[in-house]
Amino acid sequence: NIAQAEDAERRYQKALEIYTSVGDTIGMARTHCNLGLLYSYELEDLDLAEMHLARMAEMVHVFPTNREKAFYHDFMGILRQNQNRLQDAYQEHLTALNIRKNLSSTYNICESRLNTGEVLNKLSRYRDAAFHFSEVLSYQEHKSLHHQSRAHAGLSEAYEKIGNAKEALTHYKLLYEIEDSIDTEASREIIAEKDAKYQRSEQDAQITLLQKEREIASQKLKTSRFITYGSLLGLGIFSLLSFFVFRLYKRVKSQNELINRTLQDKNLLIKEIHHRVKNNLQVISSLLNLQSKYITDENAMVAIKDGRNRVQSMALLHQDLYRENDVTGINVQVYFTNLVNSIFHSYNLNEDDVDLQLEIDDINLDIDRVIPLGLITNELITNSLKYAFTDSKDPAAIEVKLKESNENYQLIVSDNGIGIDQEIIERSPNQSFGQRMIAAFVTKLKANMEVTNIAGTKVLIEIPKLSSS
């Protein structure tokens, strides 16, 4: 933080050596994480940065804590930004933010929001970026001038790009007021004084340690004069017991290592299977896309495109399973965000064309539930984009919600379009393949579906928390 990167690297390497010698995995993970950030930001060695972050991921996978997971994803996002892999960086920062929302540190939440906002600015998603920067300014617990400085800088850039010159100028002025407060001669003197005190205290601690070691050596010399043959007998008995305990410890340790290796191998195998399934589904999606280029019939073209979207929704699911540490469940918040973005991308739409509102609870569901929910959501959004706004005069808007209660999950997909004819609602299960598929999946989930047709179309599906198999 005081621009002494080489000294920081030396101290981190020393810390890593000590943590390794005592087998402190959490300490090793945190040090690898900090080295990853240091090489990514200050020392500009992106290969070393990625290596250290990968080492941290391995350790957090064995001894998982949410705090270390969040740091890993946030620092990986910073690395991806420096590698100009902006979409990957956005996903990493978003994952870190979702983890930290459930933790107590508002300081770390603000770090994730700032990183997310900065990468959204780079992706030209300025309104989304402005939301995250504004959230940072709403936290007052830690009162970080550096956080406020970054938030005002990001808001100034976002509002300038949006075209709101007044707000951009306001945040620009606030930015420089804060930077003037941070960058003062008094601050630099305090930093120098603190560093000198640290060096002096470290030397005093070393002197005290040497004195203690000398006192202990002297005491041991005096005590050794009173050792008797009885103590030698006791030492022999203790050595024999220690030998048996050591053998038992080695056996238990060997069994634990075998169990851990087997568990890691199983998880890696399952993740590799999901990865290959995802790749195969991507190949199918690409083949459908290629086939569509040779089709002239409009109905056939629509059918091919719908099929490709369905395949893509399942590919995203297996992609998330490949990335998650828990291969038995899916974070639906991340999955639904990726799914809706994929559908909009397939129709070449963005936030200016359709006002999209997502309210997805941060919950994990098993794959047997998520696949039907994903395909149902894909069909409902696709139908809205194709039919709901043909003659509508209002700005197009689509809302997707997935909420959890004590008894069930509620999936709501609604639009403000022209609505759907009541006759079609009454005989919808026999209308088209997509509608028959929705009805089949609703039955599989043992769910209830309700369609209302007021100021647009709203579909409500209630899924019980009992097993859907």
Side-chain angles (χ1 to χ4, degrees):
N1 288 340
I2 58 174
Q4 295 183 19
E6 289 77 10
D7 193 30
E9 179 190 20
R10 178 181 64 79
R11 291 174 187 270
Y12 280 138
Q13 292 289 359
K14 182 63 177 177
L16 184 59
E17 177 185 338
I18 296 172
Y19 282 133
T20 303
S21 69
V22 298
D24 186 342
T25 307
I26 295 299
M28 292 160 64
R30 291 176 178 173
T31 308
H32 278 300
C33 190
N34 286 329
L35 280 167
L37 181 65
L38 185 67
Y39 284 121
S40 180
Y41 252 151
E42 301 294 338
L43 299 178
E44 297 181 354
D45 190 331
L46 301 186
D47 291 337
L48 272 179
E50 186 143 17
M51 182 272 288
H52 281 289
L53 290 175
R55 291 297 307 278
M56 181 205 182
E58 295 172 3
M59 294 173 180
V60 172
H61 180 69
V62 178
F63 298 97
T65 67
N66 285 332
R67 183 180 184 277
E68 274 64 43
K69 284 182 183 178
F71 273 110
Y72 164 74
H73 288 293
D74 224 13
F75 288 0
M76 183 60 76
I78 292 170
L79 174 62
R80 295 300 182 228
Q81 286 194 57
N82 291 336
Q83 293 172 333
N84 203 30
R85 294 168 56 181
L86 299 181
Q87 193 60 44
D88 291 339
Y90 169 66
Q91 293 300 332
E92 295 289 354
H93 290 314
L94 190 62
T95 301
L97 177 59
N98 288 332
I99 293 173
R100 284 172 168 171
K101 285 179 181 177
N102 297 318
L103 302 179
S104 60
S105 173
T106 57
Y107 186 93
N108 288 334
I109 292 174
C110 288
E111 281 288 326
S112 290
R113 287 202 180 278
L114 288 167
N115 290 330
T116 304
E118 286 165 357
V119 76
L120 284 170
N121 266 348
K122 293 178 182 178
L123 288 168
S124 302
R125 293 174 57 182
Y126 303 113
R127 295 187 186 278
D128 293 335
F131 167 76
H132 288 286
F133 291 132
S134 298
E135 285 293 300
V136 171
L137 295 177
S138 70
Y139 287 104
Q140 295 298 322
E141 291 90 339
H142 50 78
K143 297 181 180 178
S144 168
L145 290 177
H146 290 286
H147 282 177
Q148 294 177 40
S149 174
R150 288 174 63 190
H152 286 304
L155 284 167
S156 179
E157 178 183 354
Y159 282 123
E160 180 182 1
K161 296 295 185 180
I162 292 171
N164 190 338
K166 181 179 178 181
E167 286 294 325
L169 179 59
T170 297
H171 288 286
Y172 186 79
K173 290 178 178 179
L174 291 170
L175 164 66
Y176 277 92
E177 287 178 8
I178 292 173
E179 288 192 344
D180 286 343
S181 300
I182 295 173
D183 188 21
T184 64
E185 186 65 29
S187 298
R188 288 192 290 270
E189 289 178 359
I190 290 171
I191 290 171
E193 179 185 354
K194 295 294 183 183
D195 192 52
K197 286 183 178 179
Y198 173 78
Q199 296 287 351
R200 187 166 60 252
S201 65
E202 195 175 55
Q203 292 171 358
D204 292 342
Q206 291 176 352
I207 292 171
T208 303
L209 180 61
L210 289 173
Q211 290 174 343
K212 291 295 182 182
E213 289 176 349
R214 190 183 305 116
E215 292 173 4
I216 292 171
S218 176
Q219 185 65 33
K220 284 182 178 179
L221 183 60
K222 293 178 181 178
T223 304
S224 65
R225 297 171 183 173
F226 301 99
I227 296 176
T228 63
Y229 289 106
S231 64
L232 292 176
L233 178 62
L235 179 61
I237 296 173
F238 176 76
S239 299
L240 185 62
L241 291 173
S242 297
F243 172 73
F244 285 112
V245 171
F246 178 73
R247 287 190 61 184
L248 179 62
Y249 164 76
K250 292 289 287 184
R251 183 183 303 171
V252 172
K253 181 179 179 182
S254 177
Q255 291 175 347
N256 288 339
E257 289 175 350
L258 178 60
I259 292 171
N260 284 332
R261 284 197 302 271
T262 303
L263 180 61
Q264 291 179 33
D265 290 343
K266 186 195 78 170
N267 285 337
L268 286 173
L269 178 60
I270 293 174
K271 293 178 80 171
E272 180 62 23
I273 290 172
H274 285 299
H275 184 55
R276 293 190 181 187
V277 171
K278 186 266 293 184
N279 287 343
N280 290 337
L281 290 172
Q282 291 285 17
V283 170
I284 295 172
S285 177
S286 299
L287 289 174
L288 289 173
N289 186 46
L290 182 62
Q291 183 67 42
S292 68
K293 299 182 184 299
Y294 299 93
I295 295 176
T296 57
D297 183 82
E298 185 65 28
N299 291 332
M301 178 72 76
V302 171
I304 290 289
K305 187 173 185 179
D306 290 345
R308 183 168 176 263
N309 284 343
R310 292 165 187 145
V311 171
Q312 187 65 22
S313 72
M314 290 188 288
L316 287 172
L317 180 69
H318 288 281
Q319 174 179 290
D320 288 346
L321 277 170
Y322 171 68
R323 291 177 175 175
E324 289 285 341
N325 288 329
D326 181 7
V327 295
T328 62
I330 289 292
N331 184 295
V332 294
Q333 194 174 69
V334 175
Y335 170 65
F336 269 74
T337 300
N338 292 336
L339 173 63
V340 175
N341 287 337
S342 175
I343 297 171
F344 272 54
H345 177 72
S346 70
Y347 283 88
N348 295 319
L349 297 173
N350 57 44
E351 59 185 18
D352 295 328
D353 300 313
V354 178
D355 180 16
L356 174 66
Q357 299 294 326
L358 285 176
E359 293 185 27
I360 310 297
D361 284 356
D362 188 11
I363 54 178
N364 278 19
L365 289 178
D366 58 274
I367 188 172
D368 290 334
R369 291 179 186 270
V370 178
I371 286 179
L373 286 175
L375 288 169
I376 289 172
T377 304
N378 177 80
E379 291 300 317
L380 294 175
I381 294 177
T382 300
N383 286 341
S384 292
L385 294 176
K386 288 196 295 187
Y387 306 118
F389 308 115
T390 54
D391 297 322
S392 178
K393 297 180 182 179
D394 296 328
I398 293 178
E399 185 176 56
V400 180
K401 296 181 179 180
L402 182 59
K403 299 294 182 182
E404 179 183 17
S405 66
N406 292 332
E407 296 81 19
N408 56 35
Y409 305 100
Q410 286 190 342
L411 173 65
I412 302 172
V413 180
S414 61
D415 62 57
N416 66 339
I418 60 175
I420 184 171
D421 188 76
Q422 187 64 32
E423 182 180 350
I424 295 176
I425 295 175
E426 293 172 357
R427 54 192 180 93
S428 61
N430 302 314
Q431 280 296 104
S432 66
F433 171 76
Q435 291 167 333
R436 287 197 297 272
M437 184 179 70
I438 291 174
F441 282 136
V442 168
T443 302
K444 175 179 172 59
L445 293 169
K446 298 181 181 178
N448 296 318
M449 183 172 72
E450 178 183 342
V451 182
T452 56
N453 203 23
I454 302 173
T457 301
K458 176 182 176 181
V459 178
L460 167 64
I461 301 175
E462 293 185 335
I463 306 101
K465 286 190 171 181
L466 300 175
S467 174
S468 62
S469 59

